[in-house]
Amino acid sequence: MTHGDNQIKIMRGIYQGDCLSPLWFCMALFPLSRILRRNQVGYKLNSKDEATTVSHNWYMVDFKLYAKNKQQLQSMSEIVSYYTKDTSISLGLDKCAVLHGNKGKVVKTQDLLIIEDECIRELEAKEQYKYLGIQQHLKIARKDVKQELMTMLKIRLRNV
């Protein structure tokens, strides 16, 4: 990219002003999604007709892993870690957390998930986290989310 006589060298990452940035980003992470699906690990959701396995959820830079047990989660985390190292994608590990649940209840394990030689903290029993702007825990507090969305909508309408 040039600006007059000066050149800007982009050594890594995706230039954010480029209209192709979202496509480049998806192309960079699509192989990781395929690897995780092919690994046949994750959390099984039983419906009336069949069982569906969910291993991950990904929306742009927000990424969420689902696992049946700690061993699966560690394995999936290692896959993500190796992939991101190989592709020079950096993870915001300071924003990561682990929540272990069993039959709708939080289970404290005292075991730490380790990625890239860093420990990922375990959420406290009543602590929530935001995913895609919505407060979550084992279950989404629909009433609270609806109230928060209504408040944000009113603020934005006033600003318009």
Side-chain angles (χ1 to χ4, degrees), residues 137-150:
H137 198 270
L138 283 178
K139 297 177 185 164
I140 297 174
R142 296 185 195 292
K143 193 174 184 180
D144 295 341
V145 169
K146 184 177 177 181
Q147 181 61 43
E148 185 177 342
L149 289 173
M150 290 302 293

Side-chain angles (χ1 to χ4, degrees), residues 32-45:
L32 174 59
S33 186
R34 291 208 37 166
I35 291 166
L36 288 169
R37 274 185 292 178
R38 268 195 251 141
N39 208 22
Q40 296 183 343
V41 295
Y43 185 78
K44 290 197 186 318
L45 302 172

Side-chain angles (χ1 to χ4, degrees), residues 61-150:
V61 297
D62 290 328
F63 197 70
K64 195 174 193 179
L65 295 175
Y66 300 93
K68 180 174 136 180
N69 54 43
K70 185 181 183 309
Q71 291 76 22
Q72 272 192 11
L73 184 59
Q74 185 67 50
S75 170
M76 293 166 73
S77 299
E78 288 170 5
I79 290 168
V80 171
S81 179
Y82 291 134
Y83 184 84
T84 56
K85 281 181 186 175
D86 288 347
T87 57
S88 297
I89 296 172
S90 59
L91 297 174
L93 295 178
D94 57 322
K95 298 178 183 176
C96 295
V98 176
L99 177 67
H100 296 277
N102 187 9
K103 297 181 182 177
K105 302 214 187 290
V106 175
V107 178
K108 292 294 280 179
T109 63
Q110 303 301 325
D111 294 328
L112 298 174
L113 179 67
I114 299 172
I115 301 177
E116 299 177 7
D117 300 325
E118 288 189 42
C119 294
I120 305 299
R121 71 183 187 88
E122 188 173 21
L123 286 178
E124 296 298 322
K126 301 225 181 212
E127 186 180 1
Q128 295 183 345
Y129 65 97
K130 269 193 175 182
Y131 182 70
L132 303 179
I134 297 174
Q135 289 289 345
Q136 297 186 17
H137 198 270
L138 283 178
K139 297 177 185 164
I140 297 174
R142 296 185 195 292
K143 193 174 184 180
D144 295 341
V145 169
K146 184 177 177 181
Q147 181 61 43
E148 185 177 342
L149 289 173
M150 290 302 293

